[in-house]
Amino acid sequence: MNKIILTGLFLVSTFCMAQGPNMEDAYKNVEKKVIEWRRDIHQNPELSNREFKTAAKIAAHLKSLGIDVQTGVAHTGVVGVLKGNSPGKTVALRADIDALPVYERNDLPYKSNVTSEFLGEKVGVMHACGHDTHTAILMGVAEVLAKNKDKIKGNVKFIFQPAEEGPPPGEEGGALLMVKEGVLKNPDVDAIFGLHINSQTPVGVIRYKSGGAMAAAQSFTINVKGKQSHGSQPWAGVDPILISAKIIDGLQTIISRETELTQEAAVITVGKIKSGVRFNIIPESAEMIGTIRTLDYDMKAKLNKRMEEMVPMIAKAYGGEATIEIRDATDITYNNPELVTAMLPTLQRVAGESNTQTQKAITGAEDFSYFQREVPGFFFFLGGMTPGNTESFPHHTPDFLIDDSGLLLGVRALTEMSLDYLNRS
Ligand SMILES: [Zn+2]
Ligand SMILES: [Zn+2]
């Protein structure tokens, strides 16, 4: 063999380091287990902040791999740290583990028949958002990486997060609490990756968006104060219902006239309005509640500022008073553009170039955003729709279904992203 061939071989072997023959075997061996774990978790779903059995299974698996495990993080979260054979940066991988209060309607051998109590009501419990697949995929990634520690330069932190769907009222939980409890510290996380399965994206396809991928969700409450009078004599009072209508109108002009919608989408929705008791009484007050969705930090700040200015001024213009309170629910799922650019070749390698597709922003929210507020992160979507199907049921519904054959790509993607990120650093 001459020198050129040797150099060529060296380059090829370096390039293929992450996906060498050992890795292929590891992926092949883990797929069956991932599907088994997924079905077991699917059949035994647990609601937010109540993921006790799920957490125990995860912890036992990580321990069996020789990974350092911390349990009880943010109530029921499990965190594992795998140290590679040589020192380097730390990458975190996150899977959410909670289920939803939904009665499953699918006819499956591993269908959930679990019931529980939610807000004082008996409910079915179902993995109707696919977090069972996220959990199983990350357990699979942990197994593959733990058996290939020699390929890891640095550390991989596995974050199994409770309560992504939101903790029960009055409780803390989810990503925000995990961050508060220091999950991104010791070792300090340099970058974080996560995925969400999607029932309406075909198996084999990965979709992503750089920048704001999912919206920040905020809620707001507006209290309008008028002056009560007889319905036949509006001049004797101040009508809070009319003021509410003007406020709703004004809020929508913030979106339609003041927001640069070609840059990112933005939404203001008034979801409830409560006022009055009788047809011939102009009431004293009105209350409105609603939600704000934004995909850009500056737009979010501007929208909030304009709402706070406009609401009291509109009320004043009609002789009344109004206050507005805006509360953060979830931040923007913001994919760091440099990190996306750096990791894209990895996704294209594992899924194929034509199967790695860009997608539009989603006005739904995801609490992975709280990790991304602290460290650069990349959150993408993994296809879970049965090959050949053209439609399927959406998330959070009783007929929601994910095809197991899509899970291995999730294992490959997170594993290879971790190795490429660490070994390049
Ligand atoms: Zn969900
Ligand atoms: Zn979800």
Side-chain angles (χ1 to χ4, degrees):
M1 267 190 269
N2 65 35
K3 205 177 160 193
I4 294 170
I5 293 174
L6 273 175
T7 312
L9 277 177
F10 174 73
L11 282 174
V12 168
S13 65
T14 309
F15 179 73
C16 295
M17 191 170 72
Q19 270 204 325
N22 304 350
M23 295 300 288
E24 275 313 307
D25 286 347
Y27 291 133
K28 228 175 273 165
N29 294 336
V30 89
E31 182 175 20
K32 215 174 134 226
K33 293 185 190 178
V34 169
I35 292 173
E36 270 167 31
W37 294 325
R38 184 262 164 149
R39 292 183 175 199
D40 174 46
I41 296 163
H42 188 89
Q43 205 165 10
N44 298 285
E46 295 173 294
L47 292 173
S48 303
N49 273 0
R50 305 288 182 270
E51 309 91 334
F52 303 109
K53 284 185 254 166
T54 311
K57 285 173 194 168
I58 296 164
H61 175 62
L62 297 183
K63 277 179 196 158
S64 78
L65 298 169
I67 292 175
D68 288 336
V69 180
Q70 200 188 342
T71 56
V73 184
H75 301 302
T76 48
V78 180
V79 179
V81 178
L82 176 67
K83 292 192 177 77
N85 281 5
S86 50
K89 289 194 171 183
T90 298
V91 70
L93 305 174
R94 176 271 211 166
D96 40 6
I97 65 173
D98 56 328
L100 285 160
V102 174
Y103 280 101
E104 176 152 25
R105 214 152 47 192
N106 291 309
D107 184 19
L108 296 168
Y110 55 94
K111 172 187 175 166
S112 163
N113 290 307
V114 174
T115 57
S116 184
E117 207 189 273
F118 184 68
L119 302 178
E121 252 181 84
K122 191 186 168 198
V123 291
V125 185
M126 176 189 174
H127 269 291
C129 201
H131 299 180
D132 51 339
T133 67
H134 306 166
T135 308
I137 286 170
L138 196 53
M139 286 167 74
V141 175
E143 176 148 339
V144 173
L145 286 174
K147 289 183 176 166
N148 287 279
K149 271 163 69 171
D150 56 314
K151 295 188 176 66
I152 304 173
K153 186 177 159 237
N155 313 303
V156 183
K157 193 178 265 194
F158 301 94
I159 300 177
F160 290 89
Q161 181 212 304
E164 193 285 323
E165 302 287 359
E171 292 180 30
E172 280 189 282
L176 189 60
L177 186 58
M178 288 199 115
V179 171
K180 224 171 158 183
E181 291 188 6
V183 78
L184 298 175
K185 306 256 167 261
N186 189 34
D188 292 1
V189 171
D190 295 288
I192 185 163
F193 302 130
L195 59 76
H196 207 300
I197 198 88
N198 189 277
S199 69
Q200 294 170 318
T201 300
V203 161
V205 171
I206 284 174
R207 291 197 176 133
Y208 72 97
K209 181 182 177 292
S210 191
M214 295 180 79
Q218 296 178 294
S219 66
F220 63 85
T221 303
I222 294 172
N223 279 299
V224 181
K225 199 170 166 286
K227 186 176 167 217
Q228 192 155 332
S229 70
H230 196 287
S232 67
Q233 297 171 334
W235 51 85
V238 175
D239 185 352
I241 293 179
L242 178 97
I243 293 174
S244 298
K246 299 286 182 188
I247 287 174
I248 294 168
D249 199 21
L251 295 180
Q252 294 311 332
T253 66
I254 299 177
I255 298 292
S256 67
R257 305 286 84 180
E258 299 184 25
T259 305
E260 198 177 335
L261 294 170
T262 54
Q263 196 191 332
E264 285 294 359
V267 176
I268 299 175
T269 292
V270 174
K272 183 180 171 185
I273 168 162
K274 204 173 108 189
S275 182
V277 284
R278 225 188 112 83
F279 75 99
N280 58 357
I281 298 174
I282 290 173
E284 187 161 13
S285 62
E287 188 196 66
M288 293 185 277
I289 55 174
T291 188
I292 308 162
R293 303 297 167 110
T294 46
L295 289 142
D296 176 274
Y297 293 111
D298 290 340
M299 278 166 88
K300 180 183 169 194
K302 189 182 161 199
L303 237 74
N304 286 189
K305 181 172 169 278
R306 288 294 294 134
M307 290 174 79
E308 280 160 356
E309 284 169 0
M310 196 181 261
V311 166
M313 283 168 87
I314 289 176
K316 199 176 169 204
Y318 294 93
E321 285 168 35
T323 57
I324 178 166
E325 193 202 336
I326 300 173
R327 292 166 301 268
D328 284 332
T330 310
D331 211 341
I332 301 166
T333 303
Y334 187 82
N335 286 331
N336 180 285
E338 291 88 55
L339 189 63
V340 171
T341 305
M343 298 324 298
L344 196 54
T346 307
L347 288 181
Q348 289 169 332
R349 191 179 73 226
V350 296
E353 236 169 276
S354 63
N355 284 332
T356 310
Q357 304 166 357
T358 54
Q359 71 165 51
K360 289 181 182 153
I362 294 170
T363 46
E366 158 69 52
D367 80 352
F368 188 77
S369 52
Y370 288 120
F371 299 118
Q372 289 171 310
R373 201 162 65 174
E374 307 296 320
V375 297
F378 185 10
F379 189 76
F380 58 94
F381 297 89
L382 177 70
M385 181 167 68
T386 304
N389 283 11
T390 49
E391 52 178 20
S392 64
F393 291 96
H395 291 235
H396 291 209
T397 66
D399 307 290
F400 170 81
L401 189 63
I402 292 297
D403 194 310
D404 287 332
S405 64
L407 306 190
L408 186 62
L409 179 58
V411 177
R412 280 178 188 274
L414 291 178
T415 306
E416 300 288 325
M417 283 168 89
S418 306
L419 291 173
D420 285 357
Y421 178 84
L422 293 173
N423 294 335
R424 242 185 258 152
S425 299

